[in-house]
């Protein structure tokens, strides 16, 4: 462990920042899966992520007409 600290101290600030980010990434991948929802529960949750109102659609239609903006179909 001591030689890891020595090597870390040999790095400049930019490289230390990159190494810290990489270590955070590895730690995040090491966490156990705690979300064990069924597909039905997932489908219900994902539907609440984005809800569009008629005013939202009207605004996008206005932009499409006035700014020659093409709306992609999903």
């Amino acid at each position: 462990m001591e030689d890891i600290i020595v090597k870390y101290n040999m790095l400049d600030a930019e490289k230390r920042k990159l190494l810290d980010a990489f270590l955070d990434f590895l730690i995040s991948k090491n966490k156990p899966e705690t979300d064990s929802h069924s597909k039905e529960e997932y489908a219900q949750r994902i539907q609440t992520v984005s809800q569009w109102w008629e005013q939202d659609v009207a605004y996008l239609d206005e932009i499409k007409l006035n700014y020659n903006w093409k709306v992609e179909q999903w």
Side-chain angles (χ1 to χ4, degrees), residues 1-73:
M1 184 68 165
E2 188 175 313
D3 72 316
I4 291 175
I5 295 170
V6 170
K7 289 177 183 179
Y8 182 84
N9 289 332
M10 292 172 62
L11 297 172
D12 62 18
E14 182 181 339
K15 300 295 188 296
R16 286 181 185 178
K17 191 174 179 180
L18 286 172
L19 182 57
D20 289 340
F22 180 66
L23 290 171
D24 289 340
F25 168 75
L26 289 177
I27 291 168
S28 73
K29 294 297 179 183
N30 200 30
K31 292 181 182 175
E33 290 291 327
T34 58
D35 193 11
S36 60
H37 296 288
S38 68
K39 289 182 182 179
E40 293 80 17
E41 288 174 315
Y42 176 75
Q44 289 176 349
R45 287 186 303 149
I46 195 72
Q47 290 175 11
T48 63
V49 170
S50 177
Q51 295 181 348
W52 292 72
W53 299 90
E54 291 299 322
Q55 297 91 339
D56 299 327
V57 176
Y59 176 71
L60 292 175
D61 287 339
E62 180 183 335
I63 291 173
K64 180 181 175 184
L65 292 173
N66 294 329
Y67 298 101
N68 196 23
W69 183 56
K70 294 183 173 41
V71 178
E72 294 182 25
Q73 294 292 326

